[in-house]
Amino acid sequence: KAGVTQTPRYLIKTRGQQVTLSCSPISGHRSVSWYQQTPGQGLQFLFEYFSETQRNKGNFPGRFSGRQFSNSRSEMNVSTLELGDSALYLCASSSGGGRGNTEAFFGQGTRLTVV
Amino acid sequence: TQLLEQSPQFLSIQEGENLTVYCNSSSVFSSLQWYRQEPGEGPVLLVTVVTGGEVKKLKRLTFQFGDARKDSSLHITAAQPGDTGLYLCAGDYNQGGKLIFGQGTELSVKP
């Protein structure tokens, strides 16, 4: 069974640019969550999509957005990049909500560097 | 706002020693997960605990879930250099797919 695939693995962007990250979940999983990981803040929840609908959102500015397609693949977009957006962006796949059903399986992440 | 406090933040021990990592919250979890992460990689799920008082073992790792489902611990017996990594606890507060992560415990096991 294939794991969670995130592309690209590494990305270098300039301030003010925008970026799109992609995530393919485990086959059969309908929930995709995105997290930002930085040394100072740890793992911070960005948003979660379930069956193409955003079900939950973290405390990030509107520059961070996402979507999910009918095949459960998800994309995350960050517009007007700032230096502070440099981080490891992680995508997590799970079968869905409900008690005990939030076991999350992570991809390898996309390392975004903003210069 | 749910917070998950994980301690200690850093741990450096010799091979063969035992250690315990703690994860505490003021709120009740629906479930709690433990992950291990290596540099530049995504977290890898170790275990999920759901029932208060539950104990799960994974080779030399023992995971406990508090009776009130507000705290958890990870105990490693006879640590080995291969156990080195970042250990993360993550709480599910029944918010539909959202996990709250502790700050992590950076474990270094020296041969």
Side-chain angles (χ1 to χ4, degrees):
Chain A
K1 194 174 186 181
V4 180
T5 304
Q6 287 189 248
T7 56
R9 284 294 309 275
Y10 303 94
L11 212 45
I12 300 176
K13 289 287 187 179
T14 305
R15 272 181 302 174
Q17 287 187 313
Q18 75 164 17
V19 67
T20 299
L21 312 182
S22 179
C23 173
S24 293
I26 292 170
S27 177
H29 282 189
R30 296 163 67 188
S31 170
V32 173
S33 300
W34 288 89
Y35 293 83
Q36 181 195 67
Q37 186 175 30
T38 58
Q41 299 297 317
L43 270 115
Q44 303 274 303
F45 174 78
L46 281 155
F47 30 66
E48 187 245 358
Y49 287 87
F50 181 81
S51 293
E52 300 180 68
T53 300
Q54 187 181 87
R55 192 163 59 171
N56 227 320
K57 190 176 190 304
N59 296 323
F60 278 82
R63 300 186 296 107
F64 292 82
S65 63
R67 58 178 175 168
Q68 187 179 33
F69 302 96
S70 58
N71 62 358
S72 292
R73 190 177 71 84
S74 177
E75 286 182 348
M76 186 192 110
N77 185 275
V78 188
S79 63
T80 320
L81 284 165
E82 300 177 359
L83 294 179
D85 297 334
S86 295
L88 181 66
Y89 289 88
L90 293 160
C91 163
S93 159
S94 70
S95 58
R99 189 178 172 195
N101 283 337
T102 318
E103 284 191 335
F105 298 89
F106 284 84
Q108 291 181 299
T110 294
R111 170 70 64 185
L112 172 65
T113 302
V114 183
V115 297
Chain B
T1 303
Q2 294 92 354
L3 286 174
L4 208 50
E5 293 185 7
Q6 190 173 339
S7 63
Q9 198 173 346
F10 299 97
L11 202 48
S12 181
I13 60 174
Q14 292 295 128
E15 182 177 1
E17 291 184 5
N18 302 331
L19 66 114
T20 303
V21 178
Y22 300 93
C23 191
N24 294 286
S25 172
S26 58
S27 302
V28 175
F29 305 114
S30 291
S31 66
L32 185 135
Q33 297 159 42
W34 285 93
Y35 294 85
R36 178 168 169 263
Q37 185 179 23
E38 299 198 26
E41 301 292 328
V44 175
L45 180 65
L46 296 173
V47 78
T48 299
V49 286
V50 179
T51 306
E54 185 174 7
V55 176
K56 283 192 173 180
K57 293 194 174 186
L58 188 65
K59 296 183 181 177
R60 294 175 292 99
L61 277 60
T62 302
F63 304 86
Q64 287 190 303
F65 202 16
D67 291 340
R69 305 207 324 267
K70 290 184 177 182
D71 58 274
S72 182
S73 65
L74 156 61
H75 182 79
I76 300 179
T77 303
Q80 299 175 1
D83 296 326
T84 293
L86 178 67
Y87 289 82
L88 295 155
C89 62
D92 172 10
Y93 293 94
N94 209 19
Q95 293 182 356
K98 175 181 178 180
L99 292 174
I100 304 295
F101 279 83
Q103 283 293 93
T105 296
E106 191 73 56
L107 172 65
S108 174
V109 182
K110 301 185 187 320

